[in-house]
Amino acid sequence: PAGMTSGSFSLTCVGFCGPDDSVDPRLLAAISQRYPWVEWGILFRDDKEGQPRFPTQAWVARLEQVNKSRRVKLAGHLCSKYVRQLLDGDTAHVQSLVALGFRRFQLNATKANNFDTDAFTPAHAANLRAAAAALPDIEFIIQRNAETQPLWEPLLTDTPKNVAFLFDESKGMGTVAGAYPPPPPPGVRFGYTGGLGPKNIEAQIRKMVEAAPGREAWTDMESSMRTTLADGTDIFDVNKAMAVISTVVGMGLLPEYQDA
């Protein structure tokens, strides 16, 4: 359900990307129980599995174990090989994650995510359209920026109901937006991101309200969720996620459930 409105703009969910083996999946489940609108964005990238931000398969299996109720919102952020497979028409990996409770998939088809954007072909957009038709209960998210234009432009016409656009001119590099672009046509789902975190989320949401009055959107963030420990370990910091959650609740945009 959408949250309360601010300037007739409503936030549908807030995504925190990059949980990895440094965080106990039970903590994520506990936060989701009180804030069911939180979405955890799990990064899948074959060449970096087990490194910070990229969990091991064993960790993903533990996450599934604590989410038997399927109440925890999970998005698979597909990079490198996994986004290539999907765009080549192979949905096997996506379907294996659907079986683990994932309901949204973001295509990180950018150079920063080890995808050769010079190799885009019209078949890629057609294959994504076919995947959306084959999996109508799953939402596919396309990063919408200059780099991914060959993928999203063909989908602007007759956009499938389960294809959404994430405006991220930072191309996943975490640059903060001075202003946000206008939303897609009514009926097309979208989100805004880029360099968001506990320190700027309130000011940036106000800019989203200005860009898309009367619309629903989601937002997500990744780089700002990291903390480096004294020994140099890079961890996913749930306290930083909680700081953002507190701000969003304080703004009256999304509710808190006392007894979930």
Side-chain angles (χ1 to χ4, degrees), residues 19 23-29 32 40-42 44 55-70 72-75 100-102:
V23 63
D24 191 316
R26 290 172 295 185
L27 282 172
L28 307 185
S32 289
W40 305 104
I42 311 302
F44 291 94
T56 59
Q57 289 178 31
W59 185 91
V60 174
R62 293 211 310 280
L63 176 63
E64 193 269 337
Q65 287 295 311
V66 301
N67 187 29
K68 288 297 185 193
S69 69
R70 297 292 187 256
V72 179
K73 271 183 187 286
L74 297 177
L100 297 180
F102 286 78

Side-chain angles (χ1 to χ4, degrees), residues 112-156:
N113 293 291
N114 195 30
F115 182 86
D116 179 10
T117 48
D118 297 326
F120 272 128
T121 72
H124 288 144
N127 286 339
L128 182 57
R129 200 181 275 277
L135 298 165
D137 299 330
I138 299 306
E139 186 165 88
F140 294 95
I141 303 163
I142 304 175
Q143 281 192 12
R144 188 169 156 175
N145 53 50
E147 203 181 337
T148 58
Q149 191 166 350
L151 183 57
W152 58 257
E153 204 165 44
L155 289 153
L156 286 183

Side-chain angles (χ1 to χ4, degrees), residues 50-97:
Q51 295 178 32
R53 306 190 194 199
F54 302 94
T56 59
Q57 289 178 31
W59 185 91
V60 174
R62 293 211 310 280
L63 176 63
E64 193 269 337
Q65 287 295 311
V66 301
N67 187 29
K68 288 297 185 193
S69 69
R70 297 292 187 256
R71 288 197 193 109
V72 179
K73 271 183 187 286
L74 297 177
H77 290 224
L78 308 175
C79 309
S80 192
K81 173 178 85 172
Y82 299 115
V83 74
R84 274 196 295 277
Q85 285 174 348
L86 178 58
L87 290 176
D88 286 340
D90 178 359
T91 60
H93 180 247
V94 162
Q95 293 192 65
S96 72
L97 293 175

Side-chain angles (χ1 to χ4, degrees), residues 156-169:
L156 286 183
T157 323
D158 203 15
T159 308
K161 286 272 177 266
N162 56 334
V163 168
F165 299 104
L166 180 68
F167 290 93
D168 180 16
E169 271 310 329

Side-chain angles (χ1 to χ4, degrees), residues 20 22 51-53 223 225-229 231-236:
D20 52 26
S22 70
Q51 295 178 32
R53 306 190 194 199
S223 307
M225 294 295 107
R226 312 306 299 181
T227 290
T228 304
L229 301 181
D231 65 1
T233 311
D234 172 11
I235 66 161
F236 180 86

